[in-house]
Amino acid sequence: MDPRSRSTLFLTACFLPIFITITSSADQPHLYQTFVPTSLPSHHPLHLHATPTPTLLTHEDDHLELEQDSAGPVSFNLHHLDALTSSHLTPQQLLTLRLTRDANRVHTLTKAAASNTTASGGFSSSIVSGLSQGSGEYFTRIGVGTPPRYLYMVLDTGSDIVWLQCAPCKKCYSQSDPIFDPRRSTSYSPIPCRSNLCNRLDSPGCNSRNNHCMYQVSYGDGSFTVGEFSTETLTFRRARVANVSVGCGHDNEGLFVGAAGLLGLGRGKLSFPAQTGNRFDRKFSYCLVDRSASAKPSSMLFGRTAASRNAVYTPMLTNAKLETFYYLELMGISVGGTRVPRITSSLFKLDPTGNGGVIIDSGTSVTRLTRPAYVALRDAFRAGASGLKRAGGFSLFDTCYDLSGKTEVKVPTVVLHFRGADVSLPATNYLIPVDSSGTFCFAFAGTSGGLSIIGNIQQQGFRVVFDLSGKRVGFAPRGCQ
C-alpha cells in the first residue's frame, strides 16, 4: 500500500472517534476542577468572645477626619447581616436562617416581577425589595447628617429608595445604633409637597400641616416603612455626599433588625447610584467573599476605580415595566465543558409584557432558574459527578453529596454564558457545605415563576461591576484581592 494511503487511513481512523466523541452526548467527556471540601465548623468562631458581635465590628469610620465634597472614588467594607444580629447561632443554624430569608426574598421579587408593581394601595416609592423578614444580606457603616451619626445600613441592588428609621418613632424595630434624630442634624431638609423630588415618587403623600412630602415603602409580606421624604448628607469614610433624597421613617413594621435602614442600589430614579451618578461616573462595584472560608470583609467601590480592567461585560437589558432590577441576557450554561442542550436563551427571555428574564441580585443567596433550566442543569451536574457519593437533600437543595473524609475531589466545571461574557464559577460557588459532617449541596434551585435570579453565592469572589453609563454589568474573577 502506498505510504500516503496508509497515512490517510491512519488520520481517518484517528479522526472518526474524536468526531463521534464531540457530537455524542452519551459518550461526552467532562471537564473537572479540584474541589477541597471544607465543612461548616461545629461552633461559630465568634462564640469565643463574650461580647455581642456589633462591638466586634470595627467602627473606624466613626472618627475619621472628614473631607469636603469631591468627585473622587469611594471605597468601603461590607459585612454580612449574620455578623450583626446572629452571633449566638451555630453555623448550621445561620445557614438555615439564611435560606429561610432567601425563600422570602425570592417570593417577593418573583411576585413583584410577575405583577409589575411595587406596592398596593396608599402612596409608595418606585421600589421593590426582598427585605421581608430580614433578607437584606450585606451592610456597611454610613454617616448620616451633620455632624454625621454613623449607622449600619443594608445595601441592596434589588431596592431603589434610601431610607432609615428616625425619631420620634411611632414604631421602630430594634437596631444596633441609636435611632437617628433629624432634629440634631443641620443638613436635614424636608422635601416640600409637589416639588420635583416629591413627584419622583410613584404616588407621593403630603402632610398638609407642614407641606412636607411623605413616602411609603411596602414589601411583599406586608411590612412597610412610612415617614418624611427629605434630603440629607451621607458620609462614606472620608467623603461627604450632600443632598441625597432619604426617607426618614417614623413608622417601620415587620422589617429586619440590627441595621438602621437601607441604601438602595437599584436602577430606579430614586436609587443612590441614580442620584449620585455624575459624582461617581455612574459606576459602582462590589466583591463578596465566601463567608464560610474567609474572615476578610467584602468591599464596595463607587467611581472610576469601580471598573476592573480584567472584567468581562454583558449588556444590561431594560424592563420598561419594572425599572429597579438589573436584567441580564443568559444564553446558556455549560457543565463539564459542554453546553447543556436543554438550556437555551428562550428559557430566560424577557417578554414585552415585562415577565420572565434574568436579574442579578446582591440580596438573594442561591441562584434560582426557571424550573426546566434548573432540572437540565441539575441532571447534567449529577451525570458529571456520578463518582461522588450522594447524600439526602437539605432544605431547598435536592442534589447533595457526602464528601466526609475527602481532602479533595474532582467536580464538573460550571460556566454561565451571558451575552458577550462567559463566567466560569469556582467550585466553591456551586458546592456549599450545609453541616459539619461533610455534606455539600449543589447551590442552585428551581423556581415555578418566570423570573430567574443570579444570587450572591454564585457571585462570590468576582468583582461585579455596574456600569450604568455603559449599560453593562461586568465580572472580574479574583476581584476581592
Side-chain angles (χ1 to χ4, degrees), residues 95-160:
L95 175 63
T96 300
L97 182 61
R98 181 184 183 187
L99 294 177
T100 300
R101 292 195 307 262
D102 210 43
N104 292 329
R105 181 177 182 89
V106 169
H107 173 75
T108 301
L109 298 183
T110 303
K111 181 179 178 182
S115 61
N116 293 321
T117 184
T118 59
S120 57
F123 54 95
S124 65
S125 67
S126 176
I127 177 166
V128 176
S129 179
L131 283 173
S132 58
Q133 299 186 28
S135 63
E137 290 291 291
Y138 291 92
F139 66 92
T140 194
R141 200 153 175 80
I142 297 174
V144 181
T146 306
R149 270 75 174 182
Y150 282 86
L151 307 167
Y152 291 117
M153 298 279 284
V154 167
L155 290 92
D156 184 12
T157 56
S159 301
D160 283 335

Short mmCIF file of all heavy atoms in Angstrom, two decimals, residues 95-160:
data_model
loop_
_atom_site.label_atom_id
_atom_site.label_comp_id
_atom_site.label_asym_id
_atom_site.label_seq_id
_atom_site.Cartn_x
_atom_site.Cartn_y
_atom_site.Cartn_z
N LEU A 95 -27.04 29.04 58.44
CA LEU A 95 -27.36 28.65 57.07
C LEU A 95 -28.86 28.45 56.91
O LEU A 95 -29.47 28.91 55.93
CB LEU A 95 -26.61 27.38 56.69
CG LEU A 95 -26.94 26.80 55.31
CD1 LEU A 95 -26.57 27.79 54.22
CD2 LEU A 95 -26.24 25.46 55.11
N THR A 96 -29.48 27.77 57.86
CA THR A 96 -30.93 27.55 57.79
C THR A 96 -31.68 28.87 57.80
O THR A 96 -32.63 29.07 57.02
CB THR A 96 -31.38 26.67 58.96
OG1 THR A 96 -30.70 25.41 58.90
CG2 THR A 96 -32.88 26.42 58.91
N LEU A 97 -31.26 29.80 58.65
CA LEU A 97 -31.88 31.12 58.71
C LEU A 97 -31.68 31.87 57.40
O LEU A 97 -32.60 32.53 56.88
CB LEU A 97 -31.29 31.92 59.88
CG LEU A 97 -31.85 33.32 60.12
CD1 LEU A 97 -33.34 33.27 60.43
CD2 LEU A 97 -31.09 34.01 61.24
N ARG A 98 -30.50 31.75 56.84
CA ARG A 98 -30.19 32.43 55.59
C ARG A 98 -31.08 31.90 54.46
O ARG A 98 -31.59 32.67 53.65
CB ARG A 98 -28.71 32.21 55.25
CG ARG A 98 -28.24 32.87 53.97
CD ARG A 98 -26.80 32.49 53.71
NE ARG A 98 -26.27 33.15 52.52
CZ ARG A 98 -25.08 32.88 52.00
NH1 ARG A 98 -24.30 31.98 52.56
NH2 ARG A 98 -24.65 33.52 50.92
N LEU A 99 -31.27 30.59 54.41
CA LEU A 99 -32.11 30.00 53.36
C LEU A 99 -33.58 30.38 53.54
O LEU A 99 -34.32 30.53 52.56
CB LEU A 99 -31.93 28.49 53.33
CG LEU A 99 -30.54 28.00 52.93
CD1 LEU A 99 -30.46 26.48 53.00
CD2 LEU A 99 -30.15 28.49 51.54
N THR A 100 -34.00 30.54 54.80
CA THR A 100 -35.37 30.99 55.05
C THR A 100 -35.56 32.42 54.56
O THR A 100 -36.55 32.74 53.90
CB THR A 100 -35.70 30.91 56.56
OG1 THR A 100 -35.57 29.55 56.98
CG2 THR A 100 -37.11 31.39 56.84
N ARG A 101 -34.59 33.30 54.88
CA ARG A 101 -34.64 34.67 54.38
C ARG A 101 -34.64 34.67 52.85
O ARG A 101 -35.34 35.45 52.21
CB ARG A 101 -33.43 35.47 54.87
CG ARG A 101 -33.39 35.76 56.36
CD ARG A 101 -32.39 36.86 56.68
NE ARG A 101 -31.06 36.60 56.15
CZ ARG A 101 -30.05 36.09 56.86
NH1 ARG A 101 -30.24 35.75 58.12
NH2 ARG A 101 -28.88 35.92 56.31
N ASP A 102 -33.84 33.78 52.31
CA ASP A 102 -33.70 33.72 50.86
C ASP A 102 -35.02 33.36 50.18
O ASP A 102 -35.40 33.97 49.18
CB ASP A 102 -32.64 32.68 50.51
CG ASP A 102 -31.91 33.00 49.22
OD1 ASP A 102 -31.55 34.18 49.03
OD2 ASP A 102 -31.68 32.08 48.42
N ALA A 103 -35.71 32.39 50.75
CA ALA A 103 -37.01 31.99 50.18
C ALA A 103 -38.00 33.15 50.23
O ALA A 103 -38.76 33.38 49.28
CB ALA A 103 -37.56 30.78 50.93
N ASN A 104 -37.98 33.90 51.34
CA ASN A 104 -38.88 35.06 51.45
C ASN A 104 -38.55 36.12 50.41
O ASN A 104 -39.44 36.71 49.79
CB ASN A 104 -38.77 35.67 52.85
CG ASN A 104 -39.33 34.77 53.92
OD1 ASN A 104 -40.27 34.02 53.67
ND2 ASN A 104 -38.78 34.82 55.11
N ARG A 105 -37.27 36.34 50.21
CA ARG A 105 -36.87 37.37 49.24
C ARG A 105 -37.25 36.96 47.82
O ARG A 105 -37.79 37.76 47.06
CB ARG A 105 -35.37 37.61 49.32
CG ARG A 105 -34.90 38.69 48.34
CD ARG A 105 -33.42 38.98 48.48
NE ARG A 105 -33.00 40.04 47.59
CZ ARG A 105 -33.00 41.32 47.88
NH1 ARG A 105 -33.45 41.73 49.06
NH2 ARG A 105 -32.58 42.22 47.02
N VAL A 106 -36.96 35.71 47.47
CA VAL A 106 -37.28 35.25 46.12
C VAL A 106 -38.78 35.34 45.87
O VAL A 106 -39.22 35.74 44.78
CB VAL A 106 -36.78 33.81 45.91
CG1 VAL A 106 -37.33 33.21 44.63
CG2 VAL A 106 -35.25 33.78 45.89
N HIS A 107 -39.58 35.00 46.88
CA HIS A 107 -41.03 35.11 46.74
C HIS A 107 -41.43 36.55 46.43
O HIS A 107 -42.27 36.82 45.56
CB HIS A 107 -41.72 34.63 48.01
CG HIS A 107 -43.21 34.86 48.03
ND1 HIS A 107 -44.09 34.09 47.29
CD2 HIS A 107 -43.96 35.79 48.67
CE1 HIS A 107 -45.32 34.53 47.49
NE2 HIS A 107 -45.27 35.55 48.32
N THR A 108 -40.82 37.50 47.15
CA THR A 108 -41.16 38.90 46.96
C THR A 108 -40.73 39.40 45.59
O THR A 108 -41.48 40.08 44.89
CB THR A 108 -40.50 39.76 48.06
OG1 THR A 108 -40.95 39.32 49.33
CG2 THR A 108 -40.83 41.23 47.89
N LEU A 109 -39.49 39.05 45.18
CA LEU A 109 -39.00 39.51 43.89
C LEU A 109 -39.83 38.91 42.75
O LEU A 109 -40.17 39.59 41.78
CB LEU A 109 -37.53 39.12 43.72
CG LEU A 109 -36.53 39.73 44.71
CD1 LEU A 109 -35.12 39.29 44.36
CD2 LEU A 109 -36.63 41.24 44.74
N THR A 110 -40.13 37.63 42.86
CA THR A 110 -40.90 36.96 41.81
C THR A 110 -42.30 37.54 41.72
O THR A 110 -42.84 37.76 40.63
CB THR A 110 -40.97 35.45 42.09
OG1 THR A 110 -39.63 34.93 42.17
CG2 THR A 110 -41.72 34.73 40.99
N LYS A 111 -42.90 37.79 42.88
CA LYS A 111 -44.24 38.38 42.90
C LYS A 111 -44.25 39.76 42.26
O LYS A 111 -45.14 40.11 41.49
CB LYS A 111 -44.74 38.44 44.34
CG LYS A 111 -46.15 39.02 44.50
CD LYS A 111 -46.55 39.02 45.97
CE LYS A 111 -47.94 39.63 46.15
NZ LYS A 111 -48.32 39.68 47.60
N ALA A 112 -43.22 40.55 42.58
CA ALA A 112 -43.14 41.90 42.03
C ALA A 112 -42.94 41.85 40.52
O ALA A 112 -43.56 42.62 39.78
CB ALA A 112 -41.99 42.66 42.68
N ALA A 113 -42.07 40.95 40.06
CA ALA A 113 -41.81 40.85 38.63
C ALA A 113 -43.04 40.37 37.87
O ALA A 113 -43.31 40.82 36.75
CB ALA A 113 -40.63 39.92 38.37
N ALA A 114 -43.79 39.46 38.48
CA ALA A 114 -44.97 38.91 37.81
C ALA A 114 -46.09 39.94 37.70
O ALA A 114 -46.83 39.98 36.72
CB ALA A 114 -45.47 37.68 38.55
N SER A 115 -46.19 40.79 38.73
CA SER A 115 -47.28 41.76 38.74
C SER A 115 -46.88 43.11 38.16
O SER A 115 -47.73 43.95 37.91
CB SER A 115 -47.78 41.97 40.18
OG SER A 115 -46.74 42.47 41.00
N ASN A 116 -45.53 43.30 38.01
CA ASN A 116 -45.01 44.57 37.51
C ASN A 116 -45.52 45.75 38.31
O ASN A 116 -45.90 46.78 37.78
CB ASN A 116 -45.36 44.78 36.03
CG ASN A 116 -44.66 43.78 35.14
OD1 ASN A 116 -43.50 43.46 35.39
ND2 ASN A 116 -45.36 43.29 34.14
N THR A 117 -45.55 45.58 39.63
CA THR A 117 -45.99 46.66 40.51
C THR A 117 -45.13 46.63 41.75
O THR A 117 -44.48 45.64 42.05
CB THR A 117 -47.46 46.50 40.90
OG1 THR A 117 -47.87 47.63 41.68
CG2 THR A 117 -47.70 45.25 41.72
N THR A 118 -45.09 47.73 42.49
CA THR A 118 -44.21 47.83 43.64
C THR A 118 -44.94 47.86 44.96
O THR A 118 -44.35 47.62 45.99
CB THR A 118 -43.36 49.11 43.53
OG1 THR A 118 -44.23 50.23 43.48
CG2 THR A 118 -42.49 49.07 42.29
N ALA A 119 -46.18 48.18 44.98
CA ALA A 119 -46.92 48.23 46.23
C ALA A 119 -48.40 48.27 45.90
O ALA A 119 -48.81 48.56 44.80
CB ALA A 119 -46.53 49.46 47.05
N SER A 120 -49.22 47.98 46.89
CA SER A 120 -50.66 48.01 46.64
C SER A 120 -51.30 49.00 47.60
O SER A 120 -51.12 48.93 48.79
CB SER A 120 -51.25 46.61 46.86
OG SER A 120 -50.96 46.14 48.15
N GLY A 121 -52.02 49.96 47.01
CA GLY A 121 -52.73 50.91 47.84
C GLY A 121 -51.83 51.98 48.41
O GLY A 121 -50.62 51.88 48.40
N GLY A 122 -52.42 53.05 48.89
CA GLY A 122 -51.68 54.09 49.55
C GLY A 122 -50.74 54.81 48.61
O GLY A 122 -50.94 54.88 47.41
N PHE A 123 -49.67 55.37 49.16
CA PHE A 123 -48.68 56.04 48.35
C PHE A 123 -47.38 55.29 48.52
O PHE A 123 -47.10 54.70 49.55
CB PHE A 123 -48.52 57.50 48.77
CG PHE A 123 -48.23 57.69 50.23
CD1 PHE A 123 -46.94 57.82 50.68
CD2 PHE A 123 -49.28 57.73 51.16
CE1 PHE A 123 -46.68 58.01 52.04
CE2 PHE A 123 -49.02 57.92 52.50
CZ PHE A 123 -47.72 58.06 52.95
N SER A 124 -46.55 55.29 47.49
CA SER A 124 -45.35 54.46 47.54
C SER A 124 -44.28 55.04 46.66
O SER A 124 -44.54 55.83 45.75
CB SER A 124 -45.66 53.04 47.07
OG SER A 124 -46.01 53.05 45.72
N SER A 125 -43.05 54.64 46.93
CA SER A 125 -41.95 55.00 46.05
C SER A 125 -41.81 53.94 44.98
O SER A 125 -42.44 52.89 45.04
CB SER A 125 -40.65 55.06 46.87
OG SER A 125 -40.32 53.76 47.31
N SER A 126 -40.98 54.25 44.00
CA SER A 126 -40.70 53.28 42.95
C SER A 126 -39.68 52.29 43.48
O SER A 126 -38.48 52.44 43.30
CB SER A 126 -40.16 53.99 41.71
OG SER A 126 -39.80 53.06 40.73
N ILE A 127 -40.13 51.27 44.17
CA ILE A 127 -39.20 50.38 44.87
C ILE A 127 -39.73 48.97 44.91
O ILE A 127 -40.92 48.72 45.03
CB ILE A 127 -38.95 50.87 46.32
CG1 ILE A 127 -38.05 49.89 47.07
CG2 ILE A 127 -40.24 51.05 47.08
CD1 ILE A 127 -37.49 50.44 48.33
N VAL A 128 -38.80 48.05 44.79
CA VAL A 128 -39.09 46.64 45.02
C VAL A 128 -37.95 46.11 45.86
O VAL A 128 -36.80 46.48 45.67
CB VAL A 128 -39.14 45.85 43.69
CG1 VAL A 128 -39.35 44.38 43.95
CG2 VAL A 128 -40.26 46.38 42.82
N SER A 129 -38.24 45.27 46.81
CA SER A 129 -37.16 44.69 47.60
C SER A 129 -37.59 43.37 48.18
O SER A 129 -38.76 43.07 48.27
CB SER A 129 -36.76 45.63 48.74
OG SER A 129 -35.74 45.04 49.51
N GLY A 130 -36.59 42.59 48.59
CA GLY A 130 -36.86 41.33 49.25
C GLY A 130 -36.47 41.39 50.71
O GLY A 130 -35.98 40.42 51.25
N LEU A 131 -36.67 42.53 51.34
CA LEU A 131 -36.22 42.68 52.71
C LEU A 131 -37.16 42.07 53.73
O LEU A 131 -36.94 42.19 54.92
CB LEU A 131 -36.05 44.17 53.04
CG LEU A 131 -34.78 44.79 52.46
CD1 LEU A 131 -34.77 46.28 52.67
CD2 LEU A 131 -33.56 44.16 53.11
N SER A 132 -38.21 41.42 53.27
CA SER A 132 -39.14 40.83 54.21
C SER A 132 -38.43 39.86 55.14
O SER A 132 -37.61 39.05 54.72
CB SER A 132 -40.24 40.09 53.44
OG SER A 132 -39.68 39.10 52.62
N GLN A 133 -38.72 39.98 56.40
CA GLN A 133 -38.16 39.12 57.44
C GLN A 133 -36.63 39.14 57.43
O GLN A 133 -35.98 38.12 57.68
CB GLN A 133 -38.69 37.69 57.29
CG GLN A 133 -40.19 37.63 57.43
CD GLN A 133 -40.73 36.23 57.43
OE1 GLN A 133 -40.04 35.29 57.83
NE2 GLN A 133 -41.95 36.06 56.99
N GLY A 134 -36.06 40.29 57.14
CA GLY A 134 -34.63 40.46 57.36
C GLY A 134 -33.73 39.93 56.28
O GLY A 134 -32.62 39.54 56.56
N SER A 135 -34.15 39.92 55.01
CA SER A 135 -33.31 39.31 54.00
C SER A 135 -32.35 40.28 53.32
O SER A 135 -31.81 39.99 52.28
CB SER A 135 -34.16 38.61 52.94
OG SER A 135 -34.98 39.53 52.27
N GLY A 136 -32.15 41.46 53.90
CA GLY A 136 -31.05 42.29 53.43
C GLY A 136 -29.76 41.65 53.87
O GLY A 136 -29.50 41.51 55.06
N GLU A 137 -28.91 41.23 52.92
CA GLU A 137 -27.78 40.37 53.27
C GLU A 137 -26.51 41.11 53.67
O GLU A 137 -25.74 40.62 54.48
CB GLU A 137 -27.48 39.43 52.09
CG GLU A 137 -28.55 38.38 51.86
CD GLU A 137 -28.60 37.33 52.97
OE1 GLU A 137 -27.66 36.53 53.07
OE2 GLU A 137 -29.57 37.34 53.73
N TYR A 138 -26.24 42.28 53.07
CA TYR A 138 -24.98 42.97 53.31
C TYR A 138 -25.22 44.38 53.81
O TYR A 138 -26.15 45.06 53.38
CB TYR A 138 -24.15 42.99 52.02
CG TYR A 138 -23.65 41.62 51.64
CD1 TYR A 138 -24.39 40.80 50.80
CD2 TYR A 138 -22.45 41.14 52.16
CE1 TYR A 138 -23.95 39.53 50.47
CE2 TYR A 138 -22.00 39.86 51.83
CZ TYR A 138 -22.75 39.07 50.99
OH TYR A 138 -22.32 37.81 50.68
N PHE A 139 -24.34 44.83 54.70
CA PHE A 139 -24.50 46.16 55.27
C PHE A 139 -23.13 46.81 55.42
O PHE A 139 -22.09 46.15 55.39
CB PHE A 139 -25.23 46.11 56.61
CG PHE A 139 -24.45 45.41 57.69
CD1 PHE A 139 -23.61 46.13 58.54
CD2 PHE A 139 -24.53 44.04 57.87
CE1 PHE A 139 -22.88 45.49 59.54
CE2 PHE A 139 -23.81 43.40 58.86
CZ PHE A 139 -22.98 44.12 59.70
N THR A 140 -23.14 48.12 55.60
CA THR A 140 -21.92 48.86 55.88
C THR A 140 -22.26 49.98 56.86
O THR A 140 -23.42 50.17 57.23
CB THR A 140 -21.29 49.43 54.60
OG1 THR A 140 -19.96 49.87 54.87
CG2 THR A 140 -22.12 50.58 54.05
N ARG A 141 -21.24 50.72 57.26
CA ARG A 141 -21.43 51.78 58.24
C ARG A 141 -21.34 53.12 57.52
O ARG A 141 -20.33 53.43 56.89
CB ARG A 141 -20.38 51.66 59.33
CG ARG A 141 -20.74 52.38 60.63
CD ARG A 141 -20.06 51.71 61.82
NE ARG A 141 -20.30 52.44 63.04
CZ ARG A 141 -21.42 52.35 63.75
NH1 ARG A 141 -22.40 51.56 63.34
NH2 ARG A 141 -21.58 53.04 64.85
N ILE A 142 -22.42 53.89 57.61
CA ILE A 142 -22.53 55.14 56.86
C ILE A 142 -22.85 56.27 57.84
O ILE A 142 -23.67 56.11 58.75
CB ILE A 142 -23.65 55.05 55.80
CG1 ILE A 142 -23.30 53.97 54.76
CG2 ILE A 142 -23.87 56.39 55.11
CD1 ILE A 142 -24.41 53.72 53.77
N GLY A 143 -22.20 57.40 57.64
CA GLY A 143 -22.51 58.59 58.43
C GLY A 143 -23.72 59.29 57.86
O GLY A 143 -23.82 59.53 56.66
N VAL A 144 -24.68 59.64 58.72
CA VAL A 144 -25.90 60.32 58.29
C VAL A 144 -26.00 61.65 59.01
O VAL A 144 -25.89 61.72 60.24
CB VAL A 144 -27.16 59.45 58.60
CG1 VAL A 144 -28.41 60.17 58.12
CG2 VAL A 144 -27.04 58.07 57.96
N GLY A 145 -26.23 62.72 58.24
CA GLY A 145 -26.45 64.03 58.85
C GLY A 145 -25.17 64.81 59.10
O GLY A 145 -24.06 64.38 58.78
N THR A 146 -25.33 65.99 59.71
CA THR A 146 -24.23 66.87 60.07
C THR A 146 -24.43 67.38 61.49
O THR A 146 -25.43 68.06 61.75
CB THR A 146 -24.15 68.07 59.10
OG1 THR A 146 -24.08 67.58 57.75
CG2 THR A 146 -22.93 68.91 59.39
N PRO A 147 -23.54 67.05 62.42
CA PRO A 147 -22.39 66.15 62.26
C PRO A 147 -22.87 64.73 61.99
O PRO A 147 -24.00 64.37 62.36
CB PRO A 147 -21.67 66.28 63.60
CG PRO A 147 -22.75 66.63 64.57
CD PRO A 147 -23.70 67.51 63.81
N PRO A 148 -22.04 63.89 61.36
CA PRO A 148 -22.51 62.55 60.97
C PRO A 148 -22.72 61.64 62.17
O PRO A 148 -21.91 61.61 63.09
CB PRO A 148 -21.38 62.03 60.08
CG PRO A 148 -20.16 62.80 60.48
CD PRO A 148 -20.65 64.15 60.91
N ARG A 149 -23.86 60.95 62.17
CA ARG A 149 -24.11 59.85 63.11
C ARG A 149 -23.95 58.56 62.33
O ARG A 149 -24.64 58.36 61.32
CB ARG A 149 -25.54 59.93 63.68
CG ARG A 149 -25.68 60.73 64.95
CD ARG A 149 -25.62 62.22 64.71
NE ARG A 149 -25.89 62.98 65.93
CZ ARG A 149 -25.93 64.30 65.97
NH1 ARG A 149 -25.71 65.01 64.88
NH2 ARG A 149 -26.17 64.93 67.11
N TYR A 150 -23.03 57.71 62.75
CA TYR A 150 -22.72 56.51 61.98
C TYR A 150 -23.68 55.38 62.32
O TYR A 150 -23.93 55.07 63.49
CB TYR A 150 -21.27 56.09 62.21
CG TYR A 150 -20.32 56.95 61.41
CD1 TYR A 150 -19.86 58.16 61.92
CD2 TYR A 150 -19.95 56.59 60.13
CE1 TYR A 150 -19.03 58.98 61.18
CE2 TYR A 150 -19.11 57.39 59.38
CZ TYR A 150 -18.65 58.58 59.90
OH TYR A 150 -17.84 59.40 59.16
N LEU A 151 -24.23 54.80 61.27
CA LEU A 151 -25.27 53.78 61.40
C LEU A 151 -24.99 52.63 60.45
O LEU A 151 -24.39 52.81 59.39
CB LEU A 151 -26.64 54.39 61.04
CG LEU A 151 -27.06 55.67 61.76
CD1 LEU A 151 -28.26 56.29 61.07
CD2 LEU A 151 -27.38 55.37 63.22
N TYR A 152 -25.46 51.43 60.82
CA TYR A 152 -25.39 50.29 59.92
C TYR A 152 -26.54 50.38 58.92
O TYR A 152 -27.71 50.48 59.30
CB TYR A 152 -25.51 48.98 60.70
CG TYR A 152 -24.32 48.68 61.58
CD1 TYR A 152 -24.46 48.60 62.96
CD2 TYR A 152 -23.07 48.47 61.02
CE1 TYR A 152 -23.36 48.33 63.77
CE2 TYR A 152 -21.97 48.20 61.82
CZ TYR A 152 -22.13 48.13 63.19
OH TYR A 152 -21.05 47.86 63.99
N MET A 153 -26.18 50.34 57.63
CA MET A 153 -27.18 50.42 56.56
C MET A 153 -27.03 49.22 55.64
O MET A 153 -25.91 48.88 55.23
CB MET A 153 -27.00 51.71 55.76
CG MET A 153 -27.18 52.98 56.58
SD MET A 153 -28.92 53.42 56.82
CE MET A 153 -29.33 54.09 55.21
N VAL A 154 -28.13 48.59 55.31
CA VAL A 154 -28.14 47.49 54.36
C VAL A 154 -27.98 48.06 52.95
O VAL A 154 -28.58 49.08 52.61
CB VAL A 154 -29.45 46.69 54.47
CG1 VAL A 154 -29.62 45.74 53.28
CG2 VAL A 154 -29.48 45.91 55.78
N LEU A 155 -27.16 47.40 52.14
CA LEU A 155 -27.01 47.78 50.73
C LEU A 155 -27.68 46.72 49.87
O LEU A 155 -27.44 45.52 50.05
CB LEU A 155 -25.53 47.90 50.36
CG LEU A 155 -24.82 49.10 51.01
CD1 LEU A 155 -24.19 48.72 52.32
CD2 LEU A 155 -23.78 49.67 50.06
N ASP A 156 -28.51 47.17 48.92
CA ASP A 156 -29.37 46.22 48.22
C ASP A 156 -29.58 46.64 46.78
O ASP A 156 -30.14 47.71 46.51
CB ASP A 156 -30.71 46.15 48.96
CG ASP A 156 -31.66 45.11 48.38
OD1 ASP A 156 -31.21 44.28 47.57
OD2 ASP A 156 -32.84 45.12 48.74
N THR A 157 -29.13 45.79 45.84
CA THR A 157 -29.32 46.08 44.42
C THR A 157 -30.76 45.81 43.96
O THR A 157 -31.12 46.14 42.83
CB THR A 157 -28.37 45.24 43.56
OG1 THR A 157 -28.54 43.85 43.86
CG2 THR A 157 -26.93 45.63 43.79
N GLY A 158 -31.58 45.22 44.83
CA GLY A 158 -32.98 44.97 44.48
C GLY A 158 -33.92 46.02 45.00
O GLY A 158 -35.13 45.84 44.99
N SER A 159 -33.38 47.15 45.49
CA SER A 159 -34.20 48.24 46.04
C SER A 159 -33.73 49.56 45.46
O SER A 159 -32.59 49.70 45.02
CB SER A 159 -34.08 48.29 47.57
OG SER A 159 -34.48 47.09 48.16
N ASP A 160 -34.60 50.55 45.53
CA ASP A 160 -34.25 51.87 45.00
C ASP A 160 -34.04 52.91 46.08
O ASP A 160 -32.99 53.53 46.17
CB ASP A 160 -35.34 52.35 44.04
CG ASP A 160 -35.26 51.67 42.68
OD1 ASP A 160 -34.16 51.21 42.32
OD2 ASP A 160 -36.29 51.59 42.00
#
